[in-house]
Amino acid sequence: MQDSLAMVEDLFAQLGRTWYEVLEAAERQLGISYARLMLLTRLQALGEVSQVRLQHELHVDGAAISRQVKQLEREGLVTRRTNPADNRFTLVTLTTAGRELLERLAGARPEFYQRARSDLTPEELAAVRTVLQRLQTNLAAMPVETAGQRQRG
């Protein structure tokens, strides 16, 4: 039991380290942070959308979206405006400069992903995907409770 616990802890630690390597390598190779790239890519796919929807689409908190959108707006890559139908919401859309940046990056992204997986077989990639999907399913199915609640209950 303890060995399998240590293996799972090591796996989660490796996932974290790998994710940070992906983020750093993407920024080095593409010249843009992965978070900003994903935000721009989602905007490209969705068109004009509320910041709240972007938050849900990207699975990040509202403050992070606000910071990113403000920075991208200052750089001329997105525009923001109040939703005329409901002024509680801010709508975001790509500018021409934002679309042009994504067009320039369109060729670099596949190359980046190809280099990242260059020595992995399709079978190995499929196995990793299967394991990660199962972990995600297991984690999502966990009840919402703290260790203290389990001890009392």
Side-chain angles (χ1 to χ4, degrees):
M1 171 73 174
Q2 199 63 7
D3 286 341
S4 64
L5 175 63
M7 287 177 64
V8 172
E9 288 176 335
D10 287 347
L11 174 64
F12 287 152
Q14 183 64 50
L15 284 171
R17 288 189 301 271
T18 302
W19 179 240
Y20 283 107
E21 285 294 325
V22 167
L23 298 178
E24 290 175 7
E27 189 162 358
R28 282 191 314 270
Q29 296 297 308
L30 302 175
I32 184 172
S33 75
Y34 192 81
R36 292 164 53 103
L37 178 60
M38 291 300 97
L39 191 150
L40 292 171
T41 301
R42 288 308 302 150
L43 273 176
Q44 183 179 44
L46 297 170
E48 186 174 58
V49 66
S50 73
Q51 283 188 199
V52 172
R53 172 117 184 249
L54 272 177
Q55 173 188 347
H56 294 292
E57 290 279 333
L58 297 170
H59 306 285
V60 297
D61 68 35
I65 287 293
S66 292
R67 280 190 307 275
Q68 289 283 347
V69 168
K70 285 178 185 176
Q71 187 177 18
L72 291 168
E73 183 180 40
R74 280 193 302 274
E75 295 172 18
L77 300 173
V78 303
T79 58
R80 294 183 303 158
R81 69 182 182 102
T82 302
N83 184 341
D86 187 342
N87 65 5
R88 296 174 297 164
F89 295 98
T90 299
L91 300 175
V92 184
T93 191
L94 279 178
T95 63
T96 300
R99 285 188 293 279
E100 289 171 354
L101 173 62
L102 287 175
E103 286 174 23
R104 286 193 305 274
L105 292 172
R109 285 178 65 197
E111 181 183 336
F112 170 75
Y113 290 123
Q114 176 59 36
R115 291 174 73 187
R117 62 148 297 243
S118 63
D119 64 342
L120 300 173
T121 67
E123 294 79 15
E124 289 171 323
L125 290 170
V128 169
R129 181 185 195 112
T130 298
V131 169
L132 291 175
Q133 287 172 333
R134 288 174 59 192
L135 281 170
Q136 186 177 12
T137 299
N138 293 347
L139 293 168
M142 285 183 177
V144 178
E145 62 182 24
T146 66
Q149 289 171 323
R150 280 193 304 275
Q151 289 174 354
R152 286 192 303 262

